[in-house]
């Protein structure tokens, strides 16, 4: 995050100085925003940068324990520079949080600079090869030029000048990384389902009839139900990530021309897509582990590492709930625009047709299911706004009414995001397969239908509320879903092979291309230090005395 922030928050002169040094790795940096006391609520950060016009320096301070920076990757022992987000004070006025480039270690000796307190935050659920760190300042001075001045400046005499056209311009790196994380979710989920599908083709368990041989576990419907949604979701996330990247690039180009109009929609989209893709990837990676039975619990399966890595993405760069609530803010505004007869931006344009007060007629075609997901999002949004207004009428403040409605707001944002993802998945498949062979088209469409049927069946309660779906429609959809799993089965291994992930990337005894699962598990087991000697010292020290009653 260090380099993108240098690119996004520095003036051209600052970039000319810092970027070559960072890109050549003459300096190594990190992004230190989160503090012990605050991560989500950026406006609540406590680190201060107070401008002193006498010396033309900022004085950095960590006034409380909770103001210590906490979590930044590589901060503990690796980096010598940091981007520090701090409350800016000049001429006695606080101007809110701003980013600063801060040298924390000597470039030659790597010793922490006087006034800098830095260390490691300790072991974590995963990411233990990263030295996430803490950082505090005691009257530590940095030159005025080290304030990143693209969006706001402090002049030599201490005058504060706002430059940016958008109040949240300094949050740009976070938006960028949220966009990248959708791709990251797709990639890691593709790894997990490659491992689990390949293993399920090797693993045999139980014989349905007394005469027959044991079945490959991949032949069981329940196993297909666990795994094929993982493949379909990996495709859905990959295609949505490409689409989101284009939306991001278009918005960035517009901002460079001075037009910030599309930023709120980009923020709403990158927030909910980051939230849903990381949450879905984490839970489906865990599902892949379940699908591998006991061997999936081995570190040598690669799945525990993947899960530990990906579950963190649900939290960092904006927690799941927090980001969905950001999208909900955008949706409530869109609802008000519909009421006022104003035009809507593209990804919420479906709302303009949605508030008819009638249930959407059920149609089980792919387009019909997408319309149903949109009706569901619109229905949830409408009920949420009603709850919000009822609470306002009862005399509550907007903030109180909003807080009491946040469970429903999150539900509406999740439903909206699922509808956007389904629509993008379909249109990207159509766009990309125009010149593909009929067989490739068929397989990609089968997976895409799995995604739609799976989520329709997961949301039958909501569909009953907002569409005319009947009990027999649900029954019919269930049968179609189960039939689709059988159609995909013969191609399942080929489909995951098509992710084209090398063994070195998968790093899994269960998922290697050659399928030599048992040989690899045994070879990994031999690496256990407990296998280094036939009798371990603990036998002599503890077990034997205990067994002889001498302990
Ligand atoms: C780039 C690096 C390269 C590769 C890495 C990328 C991919 C990963 C690849 C591999 C992974 C491998 C390793 C990764 C390892 C480690 C982890 C890496 C990074 C993690 C780093 C971090 O976590 S950094 C810290 C991130 N912190 C957060 O995300 C904090 C979350 N909080 C917020 O974003 C905000 O404070 C908020 C959303 C809670 C809102 O803030 P605030 O209170 O100030 O605002 P309001 O609620 O009052 O809203 C005011 C209006 O502003 C709008 N708004 C808010 N945010 C934005 C925005 N970003 N852009 C535009 N508009 C915004 C908001 O909608 C409100 O608008 P209204 O019109 O409704 O008033
Ligand atoms: C592996 C990892 C790497 C990280 N790397 C970095 C880094 O390099 N740089 C950096 O600056 N930070 C980094 N972070 C920090 C990360 O960005 C924050 O942890 C994250 O933004 C969540 O903030 P928090 O920890 O304050 O959670 P909190 O906000 O304390 O969340 C706790 C709970 O409270 C809920 N909650 C909070 N506020 C509200 C609200 N208003 N309404 C409803 N519910 C609420 C949340 O949903 C959550 O369930 C990293 C974190 C991890 C795990």
């Amino acid at each position: 995050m260090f380099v993108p922030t240098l690119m996004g928050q520095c003036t051209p002169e600052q970039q000319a100085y810092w970027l070559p040094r960072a890109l050549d790795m003459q300096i190594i940096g990190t992004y230190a925003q989160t503090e012990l006391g605050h991560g989500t609520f950026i406006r609540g950060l406590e680190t201060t940068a107070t401008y002193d016009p006498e010396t033309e320096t900022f004085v950095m301070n960590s006034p409380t324990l909770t103001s210590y920076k906490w979590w930044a990757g590589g901060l503990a022992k690796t980096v010598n520079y940091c981007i520090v987000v701090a409350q800016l004070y000049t001429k006695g006025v606080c101007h809110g949080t701003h980013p600063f480039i801060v040298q924390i270690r000597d470039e030659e000796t790597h010793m922490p600079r006087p006034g800098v307190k830095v260390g490691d935050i300790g072991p974590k659920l995963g990411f233990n090869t990263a030295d996430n760190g803490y950082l505090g300042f005691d009257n530590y001075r940095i030159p005025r030029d080290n304030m990143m001045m693209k969006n706001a400046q402090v002049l030599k005499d201490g005058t504060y000048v706002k430059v940016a056209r958008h109040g949240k311009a300094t949050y740009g790196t976070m938006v960028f990384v949220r966009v990248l994380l959708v791709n990251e979710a797709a990639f890691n989920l593709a790894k997990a389902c490659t491992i689990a599908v390949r293993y399920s083709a090797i693993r045999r368990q139980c014989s349905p009839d007394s005469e027959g041989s044991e079945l490959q576990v991949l032949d069981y419907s329940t196993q297909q139900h666990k795994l094929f949604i993982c493949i379909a979701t990996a495709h859905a996330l990959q295609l949505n990530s490409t689409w989101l990247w284009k939306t991001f690039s278009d918005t960035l180009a517009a901002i460079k021309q001075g037009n910030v109009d599309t930023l709120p929609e980009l923020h709403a989209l990158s927030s909910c897509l980051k939230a849903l893709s990381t949450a879905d990837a984490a839970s489906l990676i865990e599902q892949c582990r379940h699908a591998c039975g006991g061997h999936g619990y081995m570190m040598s399966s690669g799945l525990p590492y993947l899960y530990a890595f990906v579950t963190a993405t649900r939290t960092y760069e904006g927690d799941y709930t927090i980001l969905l609530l950001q999208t909900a803010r955008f949706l409530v505004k869109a609802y008000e625009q519909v009421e006022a007869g104003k035009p809507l931006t593209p990804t919420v344009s479906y709302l303009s047709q949605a508030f008819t007060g009638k249930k959407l007629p059920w149609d089980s075609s792919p387009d019909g299911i997408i319309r149903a997901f949109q009706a569901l999002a619109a229905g949830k949004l409408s009920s949420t706004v009603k709850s919000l207004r009822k609470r306002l009428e009862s005399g509550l403040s907007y903030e109180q009414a909003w807080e009491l409605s946040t469970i429903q707001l999150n539900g509406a944002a999740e439903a909206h995001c699922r509808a956007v993802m389904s629509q993008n998945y379909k249109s990207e498949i159509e766009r990309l397969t125009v010149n593909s062979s009929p067989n490739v088209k068929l397989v990609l469409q089968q997976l895409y239908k799995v995604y739609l049927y799976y989520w329709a069946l997961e949301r039958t309660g909501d569909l009953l509320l907002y569409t005319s779906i009947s009990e027999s429609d649900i029954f019919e959809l269930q049968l179609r879903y189960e039939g689709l799993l059988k159609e995909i089965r013969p191609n399942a291994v080929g489909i995951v092979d098509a992710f084209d992930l090398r063994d070195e990337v998968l790093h899994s005894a269960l998922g290697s291309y050659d399928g030599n699962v048992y040989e690899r598990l045994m070879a990994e087991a031999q690496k256990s230090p407990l296998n280094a000697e036939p009798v371990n010292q603990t036998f002599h020290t503890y077990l034997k005395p205990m067994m002889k009653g001498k302990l």
Side-chain angles (χ1 to χ4, degrees):
M1 293 187 69
F2 186 61
V3 168
T5 313
L6 293 178
M7 288 168 144
Q9 306 289 331
C10 283
T11 61
E13 298 74 37
Q14 290 179 314
Q15 275 192 29
Y17 178 73
W18 291 108
L19 260 183
R21 302 195 76 208
L23 291 172
D24 285 354
M25 297 207 193
Q26 292 164 21
I27 60 171
I28 304 178
T30 189
Y31 183 83
Q33 178 174 288
T34 306
E35 294 173 356
L36 195 49
H38 291 97
T40 293
F41 187 49
I42 301 171
R43 284 180 287 143
L45 296 177
E46 298 174 85
T47 304
T48 55
T50 308
Y51 186 62
D52 172 13
E54 299 278 303
T55 53
E56 294 181 16
T57 55
F58 288 100
V59 188
M60 310 291 298
N61 269 303
S62 307
T64 58
L65 172 64
T66 48
S67 72
Y68 267 61
K69 293 294 171 190
W70 197 267
W71 267 122
L75 172 61
K77 295 288 167 195
T78 309
V79 309
N80 51 7
Y81 280 77
C82 271
I83 287 161
V84 172
V85 179
Q87 300 286 354
L88 164 64
Y89 285 85
T90 179
K91 296 191 174 181
V93 177
C94 178
H95 293 277
T97 58
H98 288 72
F100 299 83
I101 303 170
V102 182
Q103 180 177 358
I104 60 164
R105 288 179 179 272
D106 185 90
E107 285 192 27
E108 288 304 318
T109 64
H110 210 57
M111 279 295 287
R113 303 257 294 185
V116 170
K117 289 169 255 173
V118 62
D120 181 59
I121 62 171
K124 300 141 292 190
L125 188 151
F127 270 110
N128 284 306
T129 51
D131 52 328
N132 297 80
Y134 66 79
L135 175 68
F137 300 110
D138 183 10
N139 286 317
Y140 182 65
R141 286 178 184 264
I142 57 167
R144 183 184 69 93
D145 285 348
N146 284 27
M147 174 177 166
M148 303 177 98
M149 297 226 198
K150 180 176 171 191
N151 295 310
Q153 297 175 356
V154 171
L155 306 183
K156 283 185 182 171
D157 69 349
T159 306
Y160 178 79
V161 183
K162 189 102 194 142
V163 183
R165 284 168 193 265
H166 194 280
K168 301 295 177 191
T170 53
Y171 291 1
T173 309
M174 286 185 281
V175 176
F176 170 66
V177 177
R178 285 169 195 154
V179 170
L180 295 183
L181 284 171
V182 181
N183 188 266
E184 192 65 19
F187 176 57
N188 286 309
L189 182 55
K191 284 197 243 176
C193 56
T194 304
I195 294 168
V197 169
R198 284 182 179 169
Y199 173 68
S200 300
I202 301 297
R203 185 70 167 176
R204 287 178 184 272
Q205 202 78 239
C206 310
S207 176
D209 58 76
S210 53
E211 303 300 309
S213 58
E214 287 186 279
L215 284 188
Q216 291 162 284
V217 293
L218 193 53
D219 285 332
Y220 292 107
S221 299
T222 45
Q223 189 78 351
Q224 293 158 8
H225 176 53
K226 279 176 226 167
L227 292 179
F228 296 170
I229 183 61
C230 298
I231 306 177
T233 306
H235 284 199
L237 296 182
Q238 180 61 54
L239 295 171
N240 271 277
S241 106
T242 315
W243 173 87
L244 183 61
W245 179 253
K246 183 171 180 329
T247 309
F248 174 79
S249 309
D250 292 348
T251 304
L252 202 64
I255 292 174
K256 281 187 180 149
Q257 301 299 318
N259 178 356
V260 292
D261 293 353
T262 51
L263 184 59
E265 187 168 35
L266 172 67
H267 170 54
L269 282 169
S270 56
S271 292
C272 70
L273 279 168
K274 185 274 183 186
L276 222 60
S277 62
T278 55
D280 283 358
S283 65
L284 291 175
I285 288 169
E286 176 69 341
Q287 191 157 297
C288 287
R289 184 184 70 75
H290 298 160
C292 294
H295 294 327
Y297 196 67
M298 296 294 296
M299 294 308 271
S300 59
S301 76
L303 293 168
Y305 286 113
L306 267 178
Y307 177 73
F309 188 69
V310 172
T311 195
T313 61
R314 186 184 153 122
T315 301
Y316 68 65
E317 220 53 70
D319 161 77
Y320 176 83
T321 309
I322 295 307
L323 292 186
L324 282 185
L325 286 174
Q326 287 292 305
T327 306
R329 276 175 89 107
F330 183 77
L331 290 176
V332 170
K333 282 187 189 155
Y335 184 93
E336 289 161 356
Q337 282 170 310
V338 175
E339 282 185 319
K342 290 187 183 157
L344 293 170
T345 52
T347 54
V348 283
S349 60
Y350 70 87
L351 292 175
S352 60
Q353 313 293 327
F355 305 116
T356 56
K358 290 186 195 142
K359 287 186 173 186
L360 181 85
W362 173 248
D363 163 5
S364 64
S365 70
D367 282 334
I369 296 178
I370 292 176
R371 279 196 297 278
F373 288 167
Q374 291 174 343
L376 208 144
K380 287 189 167 208
L381 177 60
S382 174
S383 334
T384 307
V385 173
K386 275 189 199 125
S387 305
L388 198 59
R389 289 182 179 167
K390 209 168 168 191
R391 286 173 170 140
L392 285 171
E393 281 161 21
S394 77
L396 294 179
S397 70
Y398 192 80
E399 288 71 24
Q400 288 167 327
W402 177 271
E403 199 293 312
L404 289 173
S405 311
T406 45
I407 299 171
Q408 293 182 55
L409 285 160
N410 264 11
E414 194 261 352
H416 164 72
C417 192
R418 194 72 67 196
V420 170
M421 276 176 67
S422 304
Q423 174 64 62
N424 286 337
Y425 187 5
K426 177 166 184 288
S427 32
E428 286 295 287
I429 288 277
E430 282 169 359
R431 188 176 68 80
L432 292 167
T433 56
V434 171
N435 298 317
S436 301
S437 73
N439 287 343
V440 167
K441 252 186 215 175
L442 177 73
V443 169
L444 292 179
Q445 281 169 2
Q446 285 169 339
L447 286 166
Y448 156 66
K449 283 186 199 162
V450 159
Y451 187 82
L452 291 186
Y453 294 176
Y454 179 95
W455 279 107
L457 290 165
E458 283 287 305
R459 295 286 180 267
T460 46
D462 291 333
L463 289 173
L464 285 162
L465 274 179
Y466 300 114
T467 75
S468 70
I469 197 167
S470 65
E471 197 181 335
S472 64
D473 292 329
I474 295 173
F475 179 67
E476 194 240 353
L477 191 66
Q478 180 72 33
L479 291 185
R480 274 168 58 185
Y481 173 70
E482 288 165 8
L484 200 50
L485 297 179
K486 297 298 163 200
E487 287 172 40
I488 291 172
R489 163 65 184 99
N491 288 319
V493 173
I495 296 169
V496 297
D497 283 354
F499 285 126
D500 205 15
L501 297 164
R502 294 201 322 270
D503 287 352
E504 295 92 322
V505 174
L506 291 177
H507 201 62
S508 166
L510 304 188
S512 291
Y513 188 73
D514 61 13
N516 290 335
V517 168
Y518 299 113
E519 293 81 350
R520 285 175 189 276
L521 279 171
M522 185 56 89
E524 288 300 318
Q526 296 316 309
K527 294 177 188 167
S528 166
L530 292 183
N531 292 327
E533 50 191 0
V535 177
N536 195 262
Q537 276 310 311
T538 51
F539 173 77
H540 300 291
T541 319
Y542 300 111
L543 290 182
K544 194 171 177 187
M546 181 189 74
M547 290 153 83
K548 302 280 180 206
K550 290 182 184 158
L551 251 191

